[in-house]
Amino acid sequence: MNNDNRYSSHSHHDYDGMDNLKHEHGITDKHGDHKDQHQEHHVEHDHSGHNHHHGITDENGDHRDQHQEHHAEHDHSGHSGHDHHHHGSFKELFLKSLPLGIIIVLLSPMFGFELPFQFTFPYSDIVVAILSTILIIYGGRPFYQGAVDEFKQKEPGMMALVSLGISVSYLYSIYAVIITYVTGEHVMDFFFEFASLLLIMLLGHWVEMKAIGEAGDAQTALAKLVPKDAHVVLEDGLIEARPVADLQVGDLIRVQAGENVPADGTIERGESRVNEALLTGESKAVKKGPGDEVIGGSTNGEGVLYIKVNETGDQSFISQVQNLISQAQSQPSRAENIAQKVAGWLFYIAVIVALIAFVVWMVIGDIPTAVIFTITTLVIACPHALGLAIPLVTARSTSLGASRGLLVKDRQALEIAQDADVMILDKTGTLTTGEFKVLNVELFNNKYNKEEIIALLAGIEGGSSHPIAQSIISFAKQQDIRPASFESIDVISGAGVEGKAGGHRYQLISQKAYGRNLDMDIPKGATLSVLVENDDAIGAVALGDELKPTSKELIKALKKNNIQPIMATGDNEKAAQGVAEDLGIEYRSNQSPQDKYELVKTLKDERKKVIMVGDGVNDAPSLALADVGIAIGAGTQVALDSADVILTQSDPGDIESFIDLAHKTTRKMRQNLFWGAGYNFIAIPIAAGILAPIGITFSPALGAILMSVSTVVVAINAILLRLDPKK
């Protein structure tokens, strides 16, 4: 029998008005109970060749596919001219160029002075010239290809400067060797400076690729969740091991206890508990049986499951999450655009200053002196550190965020969030658990103790699948209280339920149906069900939607950051008021999706920066309209599409982590822009010889050292980006 309609007159939780909408859109609820085909296209792609397909970077930064090659570092406003940083593997280029570079450095005096570790022999300069030619052709290739790309875009920048620096030092050195043999007079070369500059540049790019590769760690970790092979059940009942890539829609696969599910699908046979923390953020395993759907990457518990594959391709949940991380890496941010503009300015400044220095020093000195100052100017101007400044921070930030369950789809969200004025928060499932829980059980009759009242409550609710009934039954189970045995149970239309047990007739009805005041403290926003015997209340149970443990801390953090929290919920006034008063925040109740949208619009019209936090379904319009949209839970396609940031663990505390990450990331970007560009503007005039009259000059080698120091500074500064430990 079913008595689920008995609460129709006092439906106290409309789940933000979402019940109908969830069924319409096939949205997964907190327990993963209801999902339709729209939702369930999380089927695994080629996980046997998974790393290659998605361009996952290994720990050395070696392997990136075409997509990642062209987007991992600085996409800079989408200019294809900046894809140049990825022509080949910088690790391989550096390691193969290193022996040549070391020999050149050992055989070439630095700035004309032989160091203790250097030596020469007859015709050693010719050997050096040959090795340098090989080095510039092999090791310099990515820089020249990049420079060509930049000039095609009519936006010369970093790679053009690097190419100019190594070209000038190489060509002048070749000229010096030829003149030395033709005239018999020794002319100083710059092979040492050329080789050291090229090696430093290759090393810097390798370090950069490795740092950016850290953001791929989250992708790699996700890929590991999905097994490479699936156990396919054939028509004759035999089991065949088959690569996940070869699975077809309709295949029946067997998943043993303890194994990870290889593909998204529907359970045909078997029962088990499945850990779907990736989807719901719930650490508890969810009970699954025939007809229930499971996600590739979730872990099967104690039973054997036979699962029918729903669909294949790149639409799996895990694949979508990986794509989000890749997108976050490839999108240029405002700070990155600034970095590219600064690089452009530096190029023109460096070329103009270098030409002026060449002319001036040729007039007041000689050609070798003029070339020395010109080369030094170009070396010192090389904005390698500037090129690293923003990508290293964003890579580190994305990686940190992913480790906290923060998937930042649009990295501009980090820059915008730190200036936010208002945060609008959904209630059910965002600030609260979205589940009915027994908050309090009260006694009104000395004939019964608390355990007996709980047993009666659980017994009279025994035949119902209603959330209220289930929460009471679960509560009794947690208390190890056996439900009372009822001989009959009947529905009281619009009021509750009644039943007979041990010769007594009991009713469990709403407070409204009971019609009398009760002497008890009712928790804010809770719904009361009264247990009645002979028209007198003998007990009552208060049920409510509990606040998540981290909600209060989040509100404190928002207020500390001068962000005004506003709760906007589709729930009724009483429930909304209770939660809002508990948290000490402003609220709006009975809000439709349109109302929430209008609220965001009104605030934006007041020139306020708005962050919207919701479940990504009924909140989709307002998530998309807000300056930053944060979706709680990554289980819905709507959330993936409409939000800028996704909290995979459905924990409000992660919003605090996001705000913290936003502030720290933006601060690091500014610091790195200063370190990456600031020294250039000071050093370029000095390198050109403006302070030479008072005896202060930069050699090309010192220029290369300063440039590499700046690179190390921005790299270390980015790595030092940390998030406070979760409380």
Side-chain angles (χ1 to χ4, degrees):
M1 65 146 297
N2 192 319
N3 53 8
D4 292 350
N5 65 344
R6 67 198 189 287
Y7 289 102
S8 58
S9 68
H10 63 288
S11 175
H12 54 287
H13 276 287
D14 61 2
Y15 284 92
D16 287 0
M18 273 307 299
D19 286 348
N20 293 333
L21 192 56
K22 285 186 177 181
H23 278 279
E24 182 182 334
H25 287 281
I27 303 307
T28 310
D29 70 12
K30 191 168 178 62
H31 296 290
D33 289 334
H34 168 60
K35 307 181 280 288
D36 73 358
Q37 288 303 322
H38 165 73
Q39 176 65 27
E40 284 303 311
H41 49 173
H42 319 301
V43 186
E44 288 320 313
H45 41 276
D46 179 358
H47 283 282
S48 57
H50 182 87
N51 287 359
H52 177 74
H53 180 69
H54 282 279
I56 305 302
T57 309
D58 70 11
E59 61 183 3
N60 296 314
D62 281 339
H63 166 61
R64 317 176 70 82
D65 71 6
Q66 285 297 99
H67 172 76
Q68 202 132 356
E69 283 287 312
H70 288 293
H71 293 293
E73 184 189 357
H74 15 232
D75 178 50
H76 297 306
S77 305
H79 300 316
S80 62
H82 300 288
D83 297 344
H84 44 256
H85 295 263
H86 312 292
H87 293 286
S89 162
F90 281 103
K91 177 189 176 185
E92 183 183 351
L93 283 168
F94 172 75
L95 293 178
K96 288 186 178 177
S97 299
L98 186 60
L100 289 175
I102 289 173
I103 296 170
I104 294 168
V105 165
L106 290 175
L107 297 179
S108 302
M110 183 181 78
F111 202 46
F113 297 101
E114 282 195 28
L115 299 174
F117 59 81
Q118 292 175 319
F119 63 94
T120 57
F121 52 84
Y123 304 111
S124 62
D125 50 358
I126 291 179
V127 172
V128 168
I130 293 168
L131 293 177
S132 295
T133 303
I134 297 170
L135 182 60
I136 198 168
I137 291 170
Y138 179 72
R141 187 180 75 246
F143 302 108
Y144 287 114
Q145 288 174 333
V148 169
D149 290 341
E150 286 183 341
F151 282 116
K152 279 181 182 175
Q153 295 290 325
K154 297 181 180 176
E155 289 190 12
M158 299 177 201
M159 300 303 264
L161 270 177
V162 176
S163 301
L164 195 58
I166 59 176
S167 297
V168 170
S169 54
Y170 167 77
L171 291 172
Y172 180 79
S173 298
I174 294 293
Y175 161 79
V177 171
I178 294 170
I179 291 298
T180 298
Y181 280 94
V182 169
T183 64
E185 292 182 18
H186 177 72
V187 178
M188 184 177 63
D189 62 60
F190 298 107
F191 284 123
F192 180 97
E193 289 76 16
F194 155 75
S196 59
L197 172 60
L198 189 55
L199 288 178
I200 286 169
M201 287 298 180
L202 289 172
L203 177 62
H205 277 76
W206 175 24
V207 169
E208 178 186 6
M209 289 297 97
K210 194 171 179 182
I212 288 172
E214 287 181 8
D217 290 348
Q219 291 176 307
T220 309
L222 287 170
K224 287 177 182 174
L225 288 172
V226 181
K228 290 183 179 179
D229 295 315
H231 303 295
V232 180
V233 182
L234 304 178
E235 288 183 8
D236 57 7
L238 294 175
I239 305 293
E240 175 186 83
R242 190 182 298 172
V244 170
D246 296 340
L247 287 178
Q248 302 291 324
V249 174
D251 279 346
L252 187 65
I253 54 177
R254 185 187 70 187
V255 182
Q256 301 277 47
E259 290 182 343
N260 282 9
V261 178
D264 300 357
T266 305
I267 297 173
E268 293 280 306
R269 304 199 308 271
E271 289 188 352
S272 183
R273 289 192 171 272
V274 179
N275 188 330
E276 292 190 334
L278 265 178
L279 176 69
T280 63
E282 276 293 324
S283 56
K284 292 179 184 175
V286 180
K287 193 170 183 180
K288 297 276 184 178
D292 290 331
E293 286 160 339
V294 288
I295 303 161
S298 55
T299 305
N300 183 23
E302 68 279 1
V304 178
L305 294 177
Y306 290 84
I307 299 165
K308 186 177 180 181
V309 176
N310 283 347
E311 58 179 312
T312 57
D314 290 343
Q315 296 303 313
S316 69
F317 173 72
I318 286 178
S319 180
Q320 289 175 29
V321 170
Q322 289 171 324
N323 289 338
L324 291 183
I325 297 170
S326 293
Q327 287 170 24
Q329 286 303 299
S330 64
Q331 287 175 351
S333 66
R334 290 178 299 177
E336 199 169 14
N337 290 335
I338 293 169
Q340 181 59 10
K341 285 178 183 174
V342 171
W345 298 336
L346 282 175
F347 173 80
Y348 292 111
I349 290 170
V351 170
I352 292 167
V353 172
L355 287 172
I356 293 170
F358 182 80
V359 172
V360 170
W361 284 104
M362 197 165 62
V363 171
I364 64 175
D366 52 28
I367 287 180
T369 304
V371 169
I372 289 167
F373 281 107
T374 301
I375 291 172
T376 305
T377 302
L378 294 171
V379 169
I380 206 80
C382 192
H384 189 263
L386 180 63
L388 292 172
I390 304 305
L392 285 181
V393 174
T394 50
R396 175 68 180 161
S397 176
T398 305
S399 181
L400 268 181
S403 71
R404 281 289 178 89
L406 302 170
L407 297 180
V408 182
K409 282 170 64 180
D410 182 354
R411 65 164 86 145
Q412 286 198 43
L414 289 166
E415 296 168 59
I416 297 167
Q418 61 123 21
D419 297 323
D421 302 302
V422 181
M423 181 178 286
I424 300 171
L425 297 135
D426 183 31
K427 181 181 83 71
T428 307
T430 300
L431 292 170
T432 65
T433 61
E435 297 176 342
F436 290 112
K437 286 198 175 177
V438 174
L439 305 180
N440 188 20
V441 175
E442 196 79 24
L443 305 181
F444 298 118
N445 191 307
N446 293 331
K447 285 197 309 181
Y448 298 93
N449 60 33
K450 194 169 183 178
E451 286 75 15
E452 288 170 333
I453 292 293
I454 293 171
L456 287 168
L457 289 168
I460 204 166
E461 292 283 31
S464 174
S465 60
H466 192 281
I468 287 180
Q470 289 302 308
S471 63
I472 291 172
I473 293 165
S474 295
F475 180 73
K477 193 173 182 182
Q478 288 164 12
Q479 307 286 319
D480 287 327
I481 296 171
R482 188 171 178 172
S485 180
F486 274 75
E487 297 149 27
S488 64
I489 300 173
D490 298 302
V491 174
I492 306 171
S493 182
V497 66
E498 65 179 358
K500 198 174 181 181
H504 296 264
R505 182 162 288 280
Y506 300 94
Q507 293 178 329
L508 184 61
I509 54 178
S510 68
Q511 188 180 12
K512 183 179 178 182
Y514 181 60
R516 282 172 269 173
N517 289 329
L518 293 167
D519 184 20
M520 68 175 286
D521 291 327
I522 302 173
K524 289 174 184 174
T527 293
L528 202 66
S529 293
V530 185
L531 185 62
V532 176
E533 182 186 15
N534 299 328
D535 291 330
D536 286 324
I538 59 171
V541 58
L543 299 111
D545 188 8
E546 277 191 324
L547 279 176
K548 289 183 178 177
T550 51
S551 291
K552 287 188 178 180
E553 288 301 318
L554 166 64
I555 299 304
K556 283 183 193 172
L558 292 177
K559 290 178 177 178
K560 185 180 173 185
N561 284 291
N562 297 316
I563 299 173
Q564 178 193 2
I566 300 175
M567 185 180 77
T569 175
D571 227 336
N572 60 63
E573 173 73 17
K574 186 180 173 185
Q577 184 181 12
V579 172
E581 286 179 1
D582 207 2
L583 292 171
I585 60 174
E586 189 181 330
Y587 72 96
R588 309 275 194 282
S589 62
N590 298 305
Q591 296 280 292
S592 68
Q594 182 65 30
D595 292 332
K596 292 183 182 183
Y597 182 89
E598 291 299 329
L599 176 60
V600 174
K601 189 172 184 298
T602 301
L603 290 166
K604 286 187 74 174
D605 288 343
E606 293 172 5
R607 298 193 175 280
K608 291 185 177 177
K609 281 201 168 67
V610 182
I611 300 176
M612 174 70 197
V613 185
D615 63 11
V617 186
N618 61 331
D619 302 313
S622 40
L623 282 169
L625 179 65
D627 294 292
V628 178
I630 301 177
I632 291 277
T636 67
Q637 181 64 36
V638 185
L640 293 173
D641 290 344
S642 58
D644 303 301
V645 181
I646 294 169
L647 309 184
T648 61
Q649 296 172 21
S650 305
D651 182 1
D654 290 336
I655 302 171
E656 185 180 346
S657 295
F658 170 71
I659 299 296
D660 185 33
L661 184 66
H663 281 279
K664 289 179 176 176
T665 298
T666 306
R667 187 161 63 243
K668 286 290 183 189
M669 283 179 175
R670 288 171 181 164
Q671 290 170 357
N672 271 9
L673 278 174
F674 171 79
W675 285 109
Y679 90 101
N680 290 78
F681 290 107
I682 297 168
I684 286 173
I686 299 174
I690 197 170
L691 298 181
I694 59 172
I696 299 175
T697 59
F698 281 173
S699 71
L702 182 60
I705 290 168
L706 282 174
M707 183 233 11
S708 62
V709 167
S710 179
T711 302
V712 170
V713 168
V714 298
I716 291 174
N717 193 41
I719 291 166
L720 290 176
L721 178 61
R722 292 278 191 275
L723 275 177
D724 296 331
K726 278 185 114 171
K727 294 166 188 169

